[in-house]
Amino acid sequence: MPADSVEVLLQCSVTELTGRFITQAQSVPQGLLEALEADPRQGAQGLARKLRSRQEKNRAEGQRLRHLLKFETELWEQGLLKVAGVDEAGMAPLAGPVVAAAAILPRGYRLRGLDDSKKILDPDKREALAEALKRDVVAWAVGQAEVEEIDRLNIYHAGLLAMRRAVEGLGMTPDYVLVDARTIPQCPSPQRGIIKGDSLSLSIAAASVLAKTTRDRHMAELDARYPGYGLAAHKGYPTAQHVAAIQAKGVLPIHRRSFGPVREALGLEQPSGPVPMQADLFAATPDQVAKR
């Protein structure tokens, strides 16, 4: 069925036009916007302003997503199509595992609203983005390091271990790996650490959303197992509520005993000395060093 002409559309009521082009978000025919701006009806001019604003927002979002694909595009143009972004969630909490995710986006992929998970404050929006990513991406995987590993290795090394497990869980070897801020020891692919990568790379942003939503769901499950600590609300972070609960109710098996507030509640001394670097834990072979 052919689209209505601008002349036919202008004979419609503003309410009908609003339903079609705002509520239903139908494509705006060429010339309609200018015709609405010239229409003497105030409602038509108001609709034109809304449509113009939406166009500008769409254009800005397209530019933002193109900018976030800068690193990926450079690699895709070199023939490196399987570019994995890697990020983690849960380095700072007092409880629960640290969770990492890896995601390989299709070439040129753009998902409206996708950004660093820390910038997406609405949990429902994060979940919707995570579901879209799981449906659309070439491959994705999560890996985690448990509380016992965090206490044994320290949180820095445990975060790297979770990242490595996420990459290994992809089911394929990436052509290249983009990592937020760090490089992954024993990574099977060439890689690049990007400072603030979750704000600069769409692949890393995708990984950050997958890691965050996976960990948040896990903390909600732990909240059901250990009620009264507020784990579903604060996700294990050292909020005043969480610290008070630890002091009042005691330390749980899921609490990180290498973290200050937990050690204090247990009456343990605080550790001294610098945190070891990643090379102290993971021996790198010469070819792995070259990949970094």
Side-chain angles (χ1 to χ4, degrees):
M1 179 178 178
D4 294 333
S5 67
V6 171
E7 291 76 14
V8 171
L9 289 170
L10 289 177
Q11 296 175 20
C12 298
S13 68
V14 172
T15 299
E16 182 179 351
L17 293 174
T18 300
R20 291 178 62 170
F21 299 111
I22 296 295
T23 307
Q24 300 176 29
Q26 293 183 11
S27 178
V28 179
Q30 185 175 358
L32 178 60
L33 189 54
E34 292 77 9
L36 289 172
E37 290 172 332
D39 193 303
R41 293 174 294 177
Q42 288 188 349
Q45 295 175 16
L47 175 58
R49 287 192 292 271
K50 290 179 181 178
L51 293 173
R52 184 74 71 184
S53 175
R54 189 178 68 184
Q55 280 188 349
E56 292 173 353
K57 289 179 180 178
N58 287 342
R59 189 178 300 113
E61 177 67 357
Q63 291 174 347
R64 184 186 72 85
L65 293 173
R66 279 194 297 274
H67 179 72
L68 285 176
L69 285 173
K70 173 186 175 182
F71 295 103
E72 288 85 348
T73 299
E74 290 176 354
L75 294 166
W76 290 332
E77 290 176 349
Q78 297 173 38
L80 304 173
L81 300 184
K82 294 184 291 183
V83 178
V86 183
D87 199 7
E88 45 68 28
M91 296 288 281
L94 305 178
V98 55
V99 176
I104 299 176
L105 305 183
R107 182 171 183 172
Y109 179 75
R110 298 172 189 173
L111 177 59
R112 185 180 180 87
L114 180 57
D115 207 338
D116 170 15
S117 63
K118 294 187 291 297
K119 297 179 180 179
I120 306 171
L121 302 181
D122 182 352
D124 290 337
K125 182 178 179 181
R126 284 197 302 265
E127 281 290 346
L129 289 168
E131 290 306 310
L133 288 167
K134 293 173 185 178
R135 180 184 66 242
D136 297 342
V137 299
V138 175
W140 69 278
V142 294
Q144 63 185 47
E146 304 297 340
V147 169
E148 295 79 9
E149 292 173 310
I150 293 170
D151 289 337
R152 176 166 52 88
L153 304 176
N154 78 38
I155 185 58
Y156 179 78
H157 293 131
L160 293 169
L161 180 59
M163 287 181 168
R164 191 180 77 199
R165 287 170 173 168
V167 174
E168 291 172 346
L170 285 171
M172 62 180 68
T173 301
D175 296 324
Y176 204 93
V177 176
L178 299 174
V179 190
D180 183 35
R182 290 165 280 179
T183 54
I184 305 170
Q186 300 178 17
C187 181
S189 307
Q191 61 180 313
R192 176 178 181 178
I194 303 172
I195 302 299
K196 297 184 179 179
D198 46 10
S199 296
L200 298 174
S201 159
L202 204 64
S203 296
I204 298 177
S208 78
V209 169
L210 291 169
K212 170 67 173 169
T213 53
T214 299
R215 188 178 189 279
D216 283 358
R217 285 193 299 273
H218 181 63
M219 295 308 295
E221 294 168 359
L222 291 178
D223 180 76
R225 190 185 308 173
Y226 302 107
Y229 285 79
L231 296 170
H234 53 63
K235 308 300 188 295
Y237 281 83
T239 63
Q241 175 197 9
H242 191 189
V243 173
I246 293 173
Q247 294 172 345
K249 299 171 69 67
V251 174
L252 296 170
I254 60 168
H255 279 117
R256 302 173 181 179
R257 283 152 173 75
S258 53
F259 279 50
V262 180
R263 295 185 69 84
E264 182 179 348
L266 290 170
L268 301 175
E269 293 183 2
Q270 298 300 326
S272 59
V275 176
M277 298 300 291
Q278 59 176 322
D280 295 339
L281 182 63
F282 298 100
T285 61
D287 61 321
Q288 287 167 341
V289 172
K291 290 178 180 179
R292 296 176 193 171

